[in-house]
Amino acid sequence: MPHVLLIEDDVSVRDATELVLRRHGHDVDAAGSGEDGLELLRRPGAGGIEVVVLDLMLPGMDGFAVCRRIRELSTMPIIMLTSRGDDSDIVNGLEAGADDYVVKPVTARVLEARIRASVRRVVPAARNHEDFDGLVLDRAGLTVTKGGVPLAIPPTELRLLLELSASPGRVFTRERLLELVWEHDYFADARLVDAAVGRLRAKIEDVASRPRYVQTVRGFGYRFGPL
Amino acid sequence: MRLGGLRGRLLVAFVLVSLLSAATATVPAYDQAREAILERAGASAVQNFRDRVNASVGEFDVPPDQRSLNRLAEAIASGSRDAKVAVRYRALVAPADQEAIPARLRDRVRSENRLSFQRVEWNGAPWLVVGTPVAFAGSGRPSGVEVFQVISLQPEQDDITALLTTVRDGVVPVVLLAAVLALLAAGTVLRPVRRLAKATRRLADGALETRVPVKGRDELADLAKDFNETADALQSSVAELREQEARARRFVADVSHELRTPLAAMTMVSSVLDEDAEDLPPDTAHAARTVSAETAGLARLVDDLIEISRFDAHAASLSRQDLDVAEVLRATLSTRGWTDRVTAEFVTVRARLDRRRLDVIVANLVGNALRHGAPPVTVVLRSTADDVFVEVADRGQGLTAEVARHVFERFFKADTARTRSEGSGLGLAIAQENARLHGGLITGSDREGGGAVFTLRLPRNGKEADR
């Protein structure tokens, strides 16, 4: 069971969530503020933490800022846990680098499923080096290099890239990508896909506004290439 | 310029008044001048005629013959300007055109036995006809000789025409001046009126800060002042209403958000209770399950309240995409485990809709049919060139007219005896708001053969809703 870092300022919610996660067999580190959470991530031996569950409205440093700071340190999955389901909050959270968001209140079952889905994304596939016009994917080692330079790509975006590039030229709808990458057995928000594609493009494309690798097919979804 | 407009009416009135005053001033003067000219011309012609006749009849013998009649006529005619002279003695006539002499004048000369004259129109020109009997000197007895003279009044007529032209030439500039003055006057009245009209329209369009400048101290200035005061009053009451409304909305949103945090903890913990219920004593297990179910219901209610408050704050927005509508409906049914309980008849339809909102609408309609109607529940998808239709029908009790009217209202409960029922009572209201956001509508009605049918109509291309 993945080791979870829970950042949540409300004591009751933190205790209840920690209780539920422990009962499901997770190791849990809990922090009451963004600063404490970051401290836990930085401390020696924090390597065990595999996923962050992050509240958005925090005293002091808010969830968006914490999310950006974690992204500087690590590519681990971040699930935002927010009591605000407004469009602007969701979009901001996703653009700050979150892999998923969950609106409170959430049942233990759903949170559990989402944690496991986010961690599964890093499971390696069984194929090897592929060179796509300078973009080299190592499906076994889960590394991506471009022109010989390694790129740091968080698991959700990496999984998205792997799924798309497995069938170059094929068009994937957002819903299909949600199923493949986020493994939701119900459709979540297509904005998850758009936000992840946006972040992925910023890392792998020469010019993000004129993408070569991950191309938009208007009215349908996305495809990899043709190059 | 519209003739029926204020400007047109003012113009017409000014021109009419100026014409009327010009006419009342000039027409009598013209008439008098004309009469005076003609009278003076007539008098001098008559005097001249009398003198010529007196001078000429001295050596005239009665009864005359034709030759002496002709001579007399020539004598009288000589020396008078373009005049025609006629002399009669019983049947003898010399010479001239007799038709210019009216019969009435002839009769009067004969019967009254004195000089008479009359103005006539002849060959399209004005003439003066003078006639006199010739009497014997001394006795004054009529000799039976009658002398007539037809004198042209053309020079006088020309004078009168010239007078008329002068009058007309005087009136035209007056009328034109009146028209210009009318336009100026109209301008001074119309400018403020137009400003007011424009301001009124802007006020009606919602620009409540609109005011008009108050100039001068006339009635229009008063009107402008009244307008500004009305706008002030309107603006402040609208501001107050908006403030109240915003406060109410904020309150609902804040309460809902505040509820979410304890609900988050309760939802988490209640799942623990649920999981352990089997190992608890029956009463405690029942209590645990009840708490868990109520918590879930409360969480749904809060979600629905937040969604409704978003619609009220106009914060709900559409995220359209090209959809295979049948696929979305299938997903809606299967993710909620309704596939076995619902009969589906779908055709292939592509439309630009918000997937999440379409799901919410259909889930609410089907959930409503399953909860409050009776099986079989059918969902039919069909389309026209412009619209997508989804019909959700059941075989339950159907809708009374009263229920059909209120069923989309918030917290509406068809069965008033039950104060609480499954569902928040907001589902259909939310579904309707979602349909409206797309520019569509849901209608509910009784179904033929029993049961109720709810019909969702959504425009396919979405243009209708991009307001």
Side-chain angles (χ1 to χ4, degrees):
Chain A
M1 284 291 134
H3 187 164
V4 179
L5 170 61
L6 174 66
I7 305 179
E8 163 68 64
D9 63 322
D10 186 90
V11 180
S12 306
V13 178
R14 192 170 65 230
D15 287 350
T17 311
E18 202 178 336
L19 169 69
V20 165
L21 290 177
R22 283 192 197 287
R23 277 175 66 102
H24 283 92
H26 296 276
D27 282 334
V28 182
D29 281 309
S33 70
E35 289 85 347
D36 290 352
L38 287 168
E39 200 52 48
L40 281 173
L41 273 177
R42 284 202 198 92
R43 100 196 137 171
I49 294 173
E50 293 163 87
V51 57
V52 181
V53 175
L54 175 63
D55 186 20
L56 265 187
M57 298 211 282
L58 293 168
M61 185 189 260
D62 70 7
F64 303 115
V66 176
C67 186
R68 279 188 287 270
R69 294 291 288 278
I70 296 174
R71 274 282 163 266
E72 290 166 15
L73 297 169
S74 154
T75 58
M76 75 176 59
I78 301 171
I79 299 172
M80 280 188 169
L81 184 63
T82 168
S83 63
R84 299 183 41 165
D86 287 354
D87 290 5
S88 56
D89 296 307
I90 295 167
V91 170
N92 285 343
L94 292 173
E95 282 174 356
D99 295 87
D100 202 352
Y101 68 84
V102 185
V103 179
K104 286 183 203 168
V106 60
T107 62
R109 218 158 47 86
V110 169
L111 182 62
E112 173 64 26
R114 289 190 141 176
I115 287 173
R116 265 190 292 172
S118 72
V119 174
R120 259 202 309 273
R121 275 168 228 156
V122 293
V123 171
R127 277 188 283 163
N128 285 323
H129 274 76
E130 286 168 79
D131 188 339
F132 297 100
D133 199 12
L135 186 75
V136 179
L137 306 184
D138 175 358
R139 289 183 188 272
L142 290 174
T143 58
V144 180
T145 56
K146 190 178 174 196
V149 183
L151 303 178
I153 300 183
T156 301
E157 293 155 49
L158 183 59
R159 178 76 172 265
L160 181 65
L161 177 61
L162 293 176
E163 293 289 354
L164 283 169
S165 63
S167 318
R170 183 183 148 196
V171 178
F172 292 84
T173 63
R174 290 174 176 78
E175 289 70 40
R176 182 73 188 131
L177 289 171
L178 275 172
E179 286 170 29
L180 287 170
V181 178
W182 282 265
E183 300 186 11
H184 290 174
D185 52 356
Y186 53 93
F187 47 84
D189 207 303
R191 282 172 299 193
L192 271 174
V193 182
D194 294 335
V197 166
R199 296 197 305 269
L200 178 61
R201 277 177 179 160
K203 294 175 184 103
I204 63 170
E205 302 286 353
D206 304 323
V207 184
S209 57
R210 288 212 314 276
R212 283 201 308 139
Y213 298 110
V214 180
Q215 296 175 5
T216 306
V217 182
R218 272 189 68 90
F220 290 94
Y222 300 100
R223 77 168 169 234
F224 192 80
L227 300 171
Chain B
M1 181 180 64
R2 286 175 304 140
L3 214 62
L6 196 51
R7 184 190 288 265
R9 292 210 302 264
L10 270 171
L11 188 65
V12 169
F14 263 65
V15 167
L16 280 180
V17 166
S18 67
L19 272 176
L20 199 64
S21 44
T24 46
T26 55
V27 167
Y30 163 77
D31 253 9
Q32 243 168 3
R34 182 170 166 275
E35 271 315 301
I37 289 171
L38 289 174
E39 231 156 74
R40 198 158 46 219
S44 99
V46 166
Q47 188 55 47
N48 195 24
F49 173 67
R50 200 194 300 273
D51 292 349
R52 298 296 309 166
V53 171
N54 283 341
S56 305
V57 294
E59 60 240 42
F60 185 68
D61 295 325
V62 176
D65 56 7
Q66 183 68 45
R67 256 180 60 213
S68 62
L69 269 185
N70 285 353
R71 251 200 332 270
L72 179 61
E74 275 165 32
I76 295 169
S78 70
S80 67
R81 55 165 192 167
D82 64 36
K84 299 175 174 62
V85 175
V87 184
R88 300 167 64 103
Y89 179 73
R90 310 223 164 131
L92 285 178
V93 181
D97 317 309
Q98 297 287 316
E99 67 259 39
I101 304 162
R104 254 182 64 213
L105 183 72
R106 257 190 340 242
D107 294 345
R108 213 158 66 209
V109 168
R110 185 166 305 149
S111 61
E112 293 177 10
N113 194 27
R114 64 187 179 85
L115 184 139
S116 292
F117 60 90
Q118 189 181 346
R119 286 204 290 268
V120 297
E121 189 85 7
W122 182 47
N123 287 347
W127 302 87
L128 180 69
V129 185
V130 194
T132 184
V134 176
F136 289 113
S139 71
R141 204 164 40 82
S143 66
V145 176
E146 292 155 4
V147 183
F148 293 92
Q149 190 177 23
V150 182
I151 306 151
S152 170
L153 287 177
Q154 193 58 49
E156 286 73 22
Q157 184 60 49
D158 290 348
D159 287 349
I160 290 166
T161 308
L163 184 67
L164 194 62
T165 309
T166 313
V167 167
R168 198 186 57 214
D169 289 355
V171 167
V172 168
V174 167
V175 169
L176 285 179
L177 190 66
V180 170
L181 286 174
L183 290 177
L184 285 176
T188 59
V189 176
L190 281 182
R191 248 193 312 278
V193 169
R194 256 200 220 120
R195 258 203 306 268
L196 266 170
K198 216 165 114 188
T200 308
R201 276 196 298 273
R202 289 186 47 203
L203 198 66
D205 286 345
L208 297 180
E209 70 290 347
T210 307
R211 299 289 181 276
V212 290
V214 179
K215 282 181 190 158
R217 307 181 59 182
D218 55 7
E219 289 84 348
L220 282 169
D222 288 346
L223 187 58
K225 221 181 300 168
D226 291 346
F227 174 90
N228 288 346
E229 280 165 13
T230 309
D232 281 343
L234 188 63
Q235 191 175 19
S236 69
S237 35
V238 167
E240 201 177 312
L241 277 176
R242 282 195 183 141
E243 174 61 27
Q244 279 174 9
E245 205 186 332
R247 257 204 308 268
R249 276 194 210 131
R250 251 197 324 271
F251 180 74
V252 173
D254 288 349
V255 166
S256 309
H257 281 137
E258 286 307 313
L259 283 174
R260 268 190 170 170
T261 305
L263 264 177
M266 285 162 69
T267 304
M268 284 286 178
V269 176
S270 69
S271 64
V272 175
L273 291 178
D274 247 359
E275 283 165 16
D276 291 356
E278 279 178 22
D279 307 327
L280 296 172
D283 281 355
T284 321
H286 179 69
R289 290 205 176 97
T290 305
V291 166
S292 180
E294 289 296 316
T295 306
L298 193 55
R300 265 205 307 279
L301 173 61
V302 167
D303 264 348
D304 286 351
L305 277 175
I306 289 176
E307 187 68 9
I308 281 278
S309 75
R310 257 187 224 126
F311 280 111
D312 285 353
H314 301 290
S317 62
L318 278 180
S319 150
R320 289 180 191 278
Q321 45 185 312
D322 268 313
L323 295 177
D324 176 344
V325 181
E327 185 228 307
V328 177
L329 299 194
R330 270 185 218 107
T332 300
L333 298 180
S334 74
T335 55
R336 290 172 179 81
W338 291 340
T339 312
D340 297 339
R341 304 170 65 191
V342 173
T343 315
E345 286 173 40
F346 296 159
V347 293
T348 306
V349 186
R350 289 202 76 85
R352 274 191 73 72
L353 302 171
D354 183 317
R355 183 173 180 134
R356 185 174 68 83
R357 295 189 186 282
L358 175 62
D359 173 66
V360 166
I361 298 171
V362 176
N364 270 306
L365 292 180
V366 176
N368 186 64
L370 290 172
R371 263 199 306 277
H372 302 298
V377 173
T378 54
V379 181
V380 178
L381 168 65
R382 57 192 173 81
S383 71
T384 62
D386 298 326
D387 296 304
V388 178
F389 291 92
V390 181
E391 283 172 8
V392 179
D394 67 67
R395 287 287 177 188
Q397 290 184 330
L399 304 175
T400 62
E402 179 69 9
V403 172
R405 210 171 20 254
H406 298 292
V407 73
F408 294 107
E409 288 173 9
R410 295 164 188 192
F411 297 115
F412 175 76
K413 298 274 171 25
D415 183 357
T416 47
R418 262 185 331 181
T419 48
R420 289 187 65 210
S421 68
E422 213 179 327
S424 65
L426 288 169
L428 285 180
I430 288 175
Q432 184 68 286
E433 295 279 7
N434 275 307
R436 288 215 178 102
L437 198 61
H438 278 93
L441 194 70
I442 308 173
T443 49
S445 63
D446 250 346
R447 180 188 182 190
E448 250 178 75
V453 57
F454 285 85
T455 306
L456 162 71
R457 179 189 66 80
L458 297 177
R460 280 175 81 159
N461 55 12
K463 275 179 194 141
E464 214 178 304
D466 292 335
R467 292 160 289 185

